[in-house]
């Protein structure tokens, strides 16, 4: 039987789908795995929200954690019964995700963190603590990047989880802490507390997503960390839009792997691996491994139909795939948005069901499966979130592209 340190080394390596709110749900995770991802993270789940769920196993083997409504008001229960709403928090497909799934927790309290982790640990392979999110919601709750300025509390969370769940790897995902040495000091404190893997995002708190990641500081930090803790997996994150970029960085720093967020949304087929006879190819923006974006969106929609994903969440992810609003300006000329079927963000936003989306993207086989509605307050956003940001932007004209090289997903 593997010890927990070996489990961590075998899990935290290669190319991973990063945790992204609204995006890293079941269909994107399974699509990433089918394309070749080595591991996937859930979206961040808040500790108390996860703890307040009931575990259910469906007839087709899906594992669902749904909001415990036993204490809800009669009015709320009546509305849920009328609409058939299922307050789903997370869905797991053990057939595809077993051995490759990391649950990311948003927490600021060791006891809340342990309660949530104990609730879900049987269905995931590791627990990761979000120590990098700079959003007001996280920081005001003492979560996310607030932990970067409170290493004592951050270390306490890691230590309590390690002691409470000794058979599962505990990791954390952070940002650069001011400079190389302060980042190294923070990581050292987490490893000493029991963290068995660390992922580092190459931006600081306050950096806009359109500001290029600081690869210089990231490179220095990765190198020093691997020298200091050669057996602890260290993953990197931030603006790795091509396979060649992360391959070069990993070779230079000895980092164990890379987490992909925006690049995976731009084209999820970025996870596709070269065969043994493709060693001399440079894998840049026009890598021969990449599929056309229309093909990727269609594959994503098929996964959404399979997992009965709510259409609003599907729209959000597809719209993120179709725009570069959060990419650094030096990258956007290389991130083309061309759709031969005439699909646009506006047309996608105008869809009001999963069937509308399948029709727009010419995806056949929709059988009218019932969607699992998102619980009120979860993943809510307005279409203007995308449309207002696209006003006045140039839209690429459609041009011919083929899906002939799309591999069969299995």
């Amino acid at each position: 039987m593997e010890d927990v340190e070996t489990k961590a080394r075998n899990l935290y390596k290669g190319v991973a789908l990063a945790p992204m709110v609204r995006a890293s749900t079941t269909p994107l995770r399974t699509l990433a795995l089918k394309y070749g991802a080595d591991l996937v993270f859930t979206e961040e789940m808040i500790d108390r929200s996860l703890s307040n769920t009931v575990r259910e196993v469906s007839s087709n083997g899906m594992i669902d954690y749904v909001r415990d409504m036993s204490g809800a008001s009669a009015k709320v229960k009546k509305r849920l019964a009328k609409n058939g709403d299922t307050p789903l928090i997370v869905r797991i497909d053990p057939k595809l995700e077993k051995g490759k799934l990391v649950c990311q927790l948003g927490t600021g309290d060791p006891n809340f963190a342990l309660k949530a982790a104990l609730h879900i640990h049987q269905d995931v392979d590791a627990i990761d603590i979000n120590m990098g999110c700079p959003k007001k919601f996280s920081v005001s709750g003492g979560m996310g990047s607030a932990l970067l300025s409170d290493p004592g509390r951050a270390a306490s969370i890691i230590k309590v989880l390690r002691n409470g769940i000794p058979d599962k790897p505990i990791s954390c995902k952070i940002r650069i802490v001011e400079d190389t040495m302060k980042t190294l000091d923070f990581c050292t404190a987490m490893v000493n507390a029991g963290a068995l893997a660390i992922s580092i995002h190459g931006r600081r708190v306050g950096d806009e997503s359109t500001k290029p990641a600081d690869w210089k500081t990231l490179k220095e930090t990765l190198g020093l960390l691997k020298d200091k803790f050669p057996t602890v997996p260290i993953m990197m994150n931030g603006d790795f839009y091509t396979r060649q970029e992360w391959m070069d960085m990993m070779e230079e720093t000895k980092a164990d792997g890379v987490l992909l967020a925006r690049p995976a949304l731009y084209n999820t087929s970025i996870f596709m691996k070269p065969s043994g006879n493709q060693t001399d190819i440079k894998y840049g923006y026009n890598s021969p491994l990449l599929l056309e974006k229309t093909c990727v969106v269609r594959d994503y929609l098929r996964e959404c139909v399979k997992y009965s994903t709510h259409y609003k969440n599907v729209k959000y992810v597809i719209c993120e795939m179709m725009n570069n609003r959060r990419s650094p300006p030096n990258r956007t000329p290389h991130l083309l948005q061309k759709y031969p079927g005439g699909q646009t963000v506006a047309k996608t936003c105008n869809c009001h069901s999963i069937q509308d989306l399948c029709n727009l993207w010419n995806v056949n086989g929709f059988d009218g499966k019932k969607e699992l509605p998102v619980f009120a307050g979860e993943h809510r956003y307005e279409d203007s979130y995308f449309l207002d940001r696209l006003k006045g932007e140039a839209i690429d004209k459609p041009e011919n592209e083929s899906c002939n090289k799309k591999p069969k997903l299995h």
Side-chain angles (χ1 to χ4, degrees):
M1 185 176 179
E2 286 183 334
D3 58 57
V4 70
E5 289 82 6
T6 302
K7 286 181 181 178
R9 287 194 292 273
N10 289 336
L11 178 65
Y12 290 93
K13 63 181 181 179
V15 190
L17 178 69
M20 293 179 281
V21 173
R22 298 193 187 99
S24 297
T25 52
T26 320
L28 191 64
R29 297 198 310 266
T30 56
L31 182 62
L33 288 171
K34 288 178 178 181
Y35 280 155
D38 297 295
L39 69 155
V40 292
F41 285 67
T42 68
E43 60 178 334
E44 177 193 33
M45 289 183 281
I46 305 305
D47 50 15
R48 280 166 283 191
S49 176
L50 180 58
S51 297
N52 187 34
T53 60
V54 177
R55 181 181 184 269
E56 298 179 352
V57 181
S58 65
S59 59
N60 60 0
M62 296 299 113
I63 299 172
D64 291 344
Y65 285 81
V66 298
R67 184 73 53 84
D68 183 359
M69 302 306 297
S70 59
S73 66
K75 182 179 180 180
V76 170
K77 289 180 179 179
K78 182 178 180 180
R79 175 176 59 78
L80 292 175
K82 179 181 178 181
N83 298 332
D85 288 357
T86 301
L88 179 68
I89 301 303
V90 62
R91 166 164 288 172
I92 297 170
D93 185 344
K95 292 180 181 178
L96 290 175
E97 299 186 280
K98 185 176 178 60
K100 300 179 179 181
L101 180 61
V102 180
C103 171
Q104 190 184 66
L105 286 182
T107 185
D109 180 274
N111 296 320
F112 288 148
L114 181 59
K115 183 179 179 181
L118 285 170
H119 189 51
I120 198 173
H121 83 286
Q122 64 183 314
D123 296 315
V124 300
D125 299 286
I127 302 294
D128 183 75
I129 303 303
N130 182 349
M131 298 186 182
C133 180
K135 300 297 184 183
K136 183 178 179 181
F137 169 78
S138 287
V139 175
S140 63
M143 303 180 292
S145 62
L147 293 170
L148 295 178
S149 58
D150 194 346
R153 185 159 54 91
S156 177
I157 293 171
I158 296 293
K159 182 177 291 187
V160 167
L161 287 175
R162 276 299 310 277
N163 291 336
I165 312 177
D167 62 331
K168 289 289 171 75
I170 307 300
S171 63
C172 59
K173 184 174 185 292
I174 73 168
R175 287 181 172 236
I176 292 173
V177 186
E178 295 186 34
D179 56 31
T180 300
M181 295 315 298
K182 289 184 178 179
T183 307
L184 181 64
D185 290 343
F186 186 90
C187 291
T188 299
M190 296 308 104
V191 172
N192 290 340
L196 294 180
I198 297 177
S199 303
I200 306 174
H201 183 95
R203 290 185 175 85
R204 297 167 178 80
V205 175
D207 286 351
E208 295 292 336
S209 60
T210 52
K211 178 180 179 180
D214 182 357
W215 280 5
K216 179 178 182 295
T217 301
L218 180 62
K219 186 182 298 183
E220 292 171 352
T221 305
L222 292 170
L224 290 171
L225 268 176
K226 289 306 297 182
D227 286 343
K228 190 171 186 177
F229 302 108
T231 63
V232 176
I234 307 296
M235 307 282 283
M236 57 191 189
N237 175 226
D239 288 357
F240 292 97
Y241 280 89
T242 72
R243 175 172 288 271
Q244 197 64 50
E245 289 171 334
W246 78 67
M247 287 171 60
D248 291 344
M249 181 76 90
M250 288 175 64
E251 182 176 359
E252 184 172 351
T253 65
K254 308 307 177 186
D256 296 271
V258 61
L259 271 64
L260 303 179
R262 302 300 307 174
L265 279 177
Y266 172 71
N267 190 329
T268 316
S269 69
I270 194 172
F271 291 106
M272 297 186 78
K273 293 179 168 64
S275 62
N277 59 359
Q278 293 177 301
T279 55
D280 296 330
I281 299 174
K282 291 292 184 180
Y283 301 103
Y285 293 107
N286 298 314
S287 167
L289 299 175
L290 295 174
L291 303 179
E292 286 87 355
K293 285 175 62 67
T294 296
C295 301
V296 173
V297 174
R298 288 172 179 166
D299 281 346
Y300 173 70
L301 272 168
R302 293 184 186 99
E303 295 296 297
C304 293
V305 170
K306 176 182 177 181
Y307 294 108
S308 302
T309 310
H310 192 277
Y311 83 91
K312 286 189 177 180
N313 214 63
V314 180
K315 279 205 304 184
Y316 172 86
V317 174
I318 293 177
C319 285
E320 287 284 31
M321 291 175 168
M322 295 181 73
N323 78 86
N324 304 323
R325 63 190 180 85
R326 290 195 285 181
S327 300
N330 65 317
R331 296 285 187 166
T332 54
H334 306 285
L335 307 178
L336 304 181
Q337 299 288 357
K338 298 179 184 293
Y339 303 96
Q343 296 92 346
T344 64
V345 169
K347 289 179 180 178
T348 301
C349 286
N350 198 40
C351 292
H352 301 291
S353 69
I354 193 75
Q355 184 150 18
D356 286 349
L357 288 162
C358 287
N359 291 341
L360 176 63
W361 290 90
N362 299 315
V363 174
N364 299 319
F366 178 79
D367 59 5
K369 285 185 179 180
K370 183 181 181 298
E371 298 167 17
L372 288 173
V374 178
F375 183 76
E378 300 284 344
H379 301 329
R380 297 184 68 181
Y381 77 99
E382 301 296 332
D383 290 337
S384 58
Y385 182 74
F386 293 103
L387 296 176
D388 288 352
R389 289 166 170 79
L390 295 176
K391 289 178 180 177
E393 289 189 11
I395 299 176
D396 291 319
K397 294 181 180 179
E399 56 179 43
N400 293 330
E401 61 180 352
S402 171
C403 294
N404 290 337
K405 69 171 182 175
K406 186 176 80 68
K408 181 179 180 181
L409 297 182
H410 52 78

